[in-house]
Amino acid sequence: MCGIVGYTGSRSCRGLLLDGLSHLEYRGYDSAGLSLVGRAGIESVHAVGKLSFLQEAVAAAEDRDGGTATLTIPATTGIAHTRWATHGRVTHDNAHPHDDPSGRVHIVMNGIVENWSELRRRLENEGSVFSSETDTEVVAHLIASYLDEGLLTAVQRAYAELRGHYSFVAASSEEPDLLVGARKETPLVVGRGDGENFFGSAVPAFLSETRRVQFIQDDEIVAMTPDEVRIFNAHGEEVEREIEEVEWDQAAAEKGGFETFMLKEIHEQPEAIAETVGDRLRPDGTLDLTDLGISDEELRSFRRVLVVACGTSYHAGVVARYAVEEWSGVPVGVDIASEFRYRKPLFNERDLVVGITQSGETADTLAAMRLARDNGARVIAITNVMGSQATRDSDGVLFTRAGLEIGVAATKTFVAQTAAMYLLGLKLAEVRGSLPADVMAGLGSDLRAMPRHIGHILDTQADHLADIGERFRDAGFFFYLGRHIGLPIALEGALKMKEISYVPSDAYAAGEMKHGPIALLDDRTPVVCVATDLPMLDKMLSNMAEVQARGAHVIAVATEGSHQVAENSEEVVYVPRTDWLLQPLLAVVPLQLLSYYVARARGLNIDQPRNLAKTVTVE
């Protein structure tokens, strides 16, 4: 969450900084600001609210014709930020960048400094006067206290005193061509140009200017000038970092003719699955997961699998639990990472812990992965971002290949994560010999057919779901039911409805409905039932009949040809027939579209839902 942009070069940086921030809006924010560094000093502009307010404030500050100019520095170095409030309220004074009382040091920061209050007290005792409620301003004051030694050394000394998880970029009026960045468990990347260089909290910050990237690792400090980028570890030793060419171009961040990024990304799900499965699944159903980094012998030796994740990624893990246990016979546990990290660690070298995180930067998931690894478990990451922190906190990595996802509500990354977990489950079955070859081949064939099946759903069911969304646009509550492997899809459907439509929603195991939730049902309640072909479909049909008996409106997702479901529903959305353990990849698509069309009918900002951020890098 939050967004960092930095630039130093020969061009005027104001427009570059604002453009960079515009490409980070999807991360979520509540205020924004920039600082321009020139030979005469540093000038800042801040605004609360959307980026357009900052653009207006910058234009007003430059209004020389009206005689009101306050932004006068012709700057070719600068930093900018979109803030999502953690320490301190959403106010103009708390917006970044922050500076020290002398105005010599300006800083933008993502994340949290945990020992900020004790540092603030110490600095106040030394004479500092603070103008905000933020931990970021404390970092600016701390760096300024060492500035006589130069900005790089000042950042290195300050960094040694900070505790927490954060990344920041600092600028100094005394070295106007220099920016210094630091990373501690939250994202920071460098974009390399010709006679100019960029900082960003994510690649889109500078993707329109360069595709040459250096991924900064934890405990590294970067000194950047127009002509040079030097990277140091926490001990002050210079390190080399490869310059990589990212595959995305700016067109990947455009909507491609769709009305929103989310709708575009829903329609990109066939490609996301095809790329994730790709050459890893051979036609005979055998697996090539050499990129995983863990040998077949090691995979065969694990006594259990533990999945740690948050939000949508957690739901992908729950789907995987059913499939991995069914195919391989290996017990699987799934934990919410923010809870798992505070349990007593009971691991050994025969435990495989899988951290699922789209960004590879989710703070709670990273902490859970480290806890497991520190206590003897082997850890692999399933992530969409090469060079992310998760790739360095794990023994092996299975990359999803979903491409850039802009919409805050995860869609294509969910199906890619689920597909990746299916591959891992099939690999465990392969090395343990727990499935016959013909069954493996059949599952492989069904998995490779998923892109075609999802395309069929999008082509044939979207209009029907738009009508359902319009019908229930004013519903005050949605209830979701599922059984077995349908339950995590119900959970994901309810989450999507909450995220983008702001309609209160709940999801339950259908067998638990009589243990309380049935009291919520009346003739105003739409109940979404995941009723694809399962061994216990007859029990699900009984639950649906109970819902109808209370006057609620049943919307069912069913497998093509399943006529019994229609007898117990008002609305049915059909998905193609496939192996029952793979059906979550299909059943989730109508639920994504249903939440989308309800939100659209309510006139909401679907790509940037309130209070949410794409990447959660703080607890």
Side-chain angles (χ1 to χ4, degrees):
M1 59 183 62
C2 309
I4 288 174
V5 184
Y7 173 82
T8 181
S10 59
R11 291 189 280 170
S12 173
C13 67
R14 177 188 61 83
L16 293 169
L17 296 173
L18 291 171
D19 185 61
L21 290 182
S22 72
H23 293 303
L24 297 180
E25 282 195 285
Y26 67 93
R27 296 171 66 90
Y29 67 100
D30 47 49
S31 58
L34 58 77
S35 289
L36 305 178
V37 186
R39 303 296 169 184
I42 306 178
E43 295 177 347
S44 291
V45 180
H46 305 88
V48 172
K50 291 297 183 184
L51 187 57
S52 59
F53 297 154
L54 177 62
Q55 293 167 332
E56 291 170 4
V58 168
E62 291 185 318
D63 186 12
R64 292 174 179 81
D65 291 339
T68 60
T70 58
L71 195 61
T72 60
I73 289 177
T76 59
T77 297
I79 53 178
H81 191 262
T82 50
R83 176 181 186 248
W84 194 86
T86 51
H87 289 89
R89 298 163 295 168
V90 181
T91 67
H92 184 276
D93 288 341
N94 287 335
H96 296 212
H98 286 285
D99 60 351
D100 72 297
S102 70
R104 296 187 301 163
V105 172
H106 286 233
I107 180 175
V108 291
M109 187 181 85
N110 291 350
I112 291 173
V113 174
E114 294 171 352
N115 60 331
W116 72 283
S117 59
E118 63 184 74
L119 289 171
R120 179 167 175 150
R121 285 193 297 270
R122 189 191 88 191
L123 290 163
E124 285 175 332
N125 290 336
E126 294 171 358
S128 284
V129 176
F130 289 85
S131 59
S132 79
E133 304 166 312
T134 70
D135 52 345
T136 303
E137 188 185 359
V138 173
V139 180
H141 285 236
L142 185 61
I143 293 171
S145 70
Y146 300 123
L147 195 59
D148 291 345
E149 302 174 51
L151 182 60
L152 174 59
T153 301
V155 168
Q156 290 170 325
R157 293 193 61 179
Y159 184 84
E161 297 185 48
L162 302 175
R163 296 197 310 270
H165 41 278
Y166 53 81
S167 57
F168 65 78
V169 177
S172 168
S173 59
E174 298 185 3
E175 298 175 84
D177 292 329
L178 175 66
L179 296 177
V180 179
R183 171 180 174 140
K184 180 69 171 178
E185 300 180 16
T186 67
L188 189 67
V189 293
V190 168
R192 299 297 298 268
D194 295 324
E196 60 183 9
N197 291 300
F198 301 80
F199 274 116
S201 51
V203 172
F206 48 72
L207 191 56
S208 60
E209 304 299 329
T210 181
R211 293 168 59 188
R212 298 170 63 230
V213 175
Q214 288 174 296
F215 292 100
I216 307 307
Q217 298 186 9
D218 268 354
D219 295 315
E220 290 186 342
I221 294 171
V222 183
M224 175 187 292
T225 65
D227 299 314
E228 186 178 44
V229 173
R230 301 175 66 194
I231 303 172
F232 303 86
N233 62 25
H235 305 294
E237 302 162 334
E238 192 162 358
V239 297
E240 296 295 324
R241 179 73 62 247
E242 180 183 359
I243 299 175
E244 303 180 35
E245 188 91 7
V246 299
E247 296 178 359
W248 313 326
D249 57 25
Q250 200 62 48
E254 300 298 332
K255 295 176 184 175
F258 291 94
E259 60 189 17
T260 64
F261 285 115
M262 183 178 176
L263 189 60
K264 173 177 178 282
E265 288 153 8
I266 288 172
H267 281 78
E268 288 174 343
Q269 289 180 123
E271 182 180 2
I273 292 177
E275 289 294 323
T276 297
V277 172
D279 54 357
R280 294 163 168 166
L281 181 59
R282 303 185 183 102
D284 62 358
T286 59
L287 281 296
D288 180 5
L289 298 187
T290 51
D291 55 343
L292 184 61
I294 294 182
S295 69
D296 289 0
E297 183 178 353
E298 289 178 285
L299 288 172
R300 193 178 302 115
S301 70
F302 291 125
R303 62 170 182 161
R304 63 172 175 166
V305 175
L306 298 172
V307 179
V308 292
C310 298
T312 287
S313 298
Y314 169 77
H315 298 153
V318 179
V319 171
R321 175 177 63 194
Y322 292 101
V324 174
E325 289 183 342
E326 185 78 21
W327 294 336
S328 72
V330 179
V332 179
V334 188
D335 266 276
I336 298 170
S338 57
E339 293 295 317
F340 174 85
R341 62 184 293 194
Y342 296 111
R343 286 170 48 193
K344 183 177 181 179
L346 298 171
F347 311 108
N348 63 36
E349 69 281 357
R350 293 191 62 201
D351 294 320
L352 176 64
V353 174
V354 182
I356 308 178
T357 161
Q358 182 277 137
S359 65
E361 306 289 351
T362 307
D364 288 311
T365 304
L366 293 175
M369 291 166 61
R370 294 188 195 110
L371 175 68
R373 200 177 186 193
D374 290 345
N375 285 275
R378 295 279 275 165
V379 175
I380 65 172
I382 292 183
T383 182
N384 197 45
V385 181
M386 294 184 181
S388 61
Q389 187 63 37
T391 66
R392 295 188 286 275
D393 287 349
S394 55
D395 299 300
V397 182
L398 186 58
F399 286 108
T400 55
R401 299 165 177 170
L404 187 63
E405 186 176 67
I406 299 295
V408 170
T411 52
K412 66 176 180 175
T413 54
F414 170 77
V415 297
Q417 289 169 346
T418 302
M421 287 299 298
Y422 280 146
L423 294 179
L424 179 61
L426 289 171
K427 185 64 178 179
L428 287 168
E430 179 184 276
V431 300
R432 295 167 69 91
S434 56
L435 286 178
D438 62 330
V439 174
M440 289 283 291
L443 287 167
S445 177
D446 283 353
L447 193 51
R448 285 193 299 275
M450 284 297 152
R452 172 167 49 84
H453 290 331
I454 292 177
H456 176 74
I457 296 169
L458 294 170
D459 290 341
T460 62
Q461 299 295 331
D463 290 344
H464 184 198
L465 285 157
D467 291 340
I468 297 172
E470 186 66 37
R471 175 183 173 187
F472 292 104
R473 62 182 294 176
D474 296 320
F477 173 65
F478 271 79
F479 192 43
Y480 289 72
L481 293 174
R483 296 192 81 117
H484 199 272
I485 205 163
L487 173 58
I489 299 307
L491 292 167
E492 176 63 9
L495 177 60
K496 287 293 160 284
M497 188 64 72
K498 284 178 275 203
E499 282 182 311
I500 65 171
S501 74
Y502 316 146
V503 178
S505 307
D506 202 0
Y508 254 78
E512 288 290 289
M513 180 178 59
K514 292 188 290 292
H515 295 274
I518 198 168
L520 296 169
L521 304 185
D522 59 26
D523 59 6
R524 298 167 297 176
T525 311
V527 180
V528 182
C529 297
V530 181
T532 52
D533 283 352
L534 300 172
M536 64 293 302
L537 178 59
D538 57 337
K539 297 186 181 298
M540 186 69 197
L541 293 172
S542 295
N543 299 137
M544 293 163 63
E546 291 168 339
V547 168
Q548 282 192 312
R550 272 72 185 176
H553 308 282
V554 176
I555 304 165
V557 177
T559 304
E560 289 176 347
S562 184
H563 303 298
Q564 288 177 294
V565 174
E567 295 171 4
N568 293 277
S569 310
E570 288 185 26
E571 302 279 1
V572 184
V573 180
Y574 289 104
V575 300
R577 187 171 298 278
T578 189
D579 184 272
W580 68 279
L581 284 167
L582 300 179
Q583 286 176 344
L585 287 174
L586 305 179
V588 74
V589 179
L591 303 194
Q592 294 168 344
L593 289 169
L594 176 61
S595 63
Y596 181 87
Y597 288 122
V598 170
R600 188 180 74 173
R602 293 163 67 91
L604 300 173
N605 185 338
I606 293 172
D607 286 332
Q608 296 178 42
R610 67 190 183 203
N611 301 331
L612 296 180
K614 185 64 179 172
T615 305
V616 181
T617 57
V618 298
E619 287 189 60

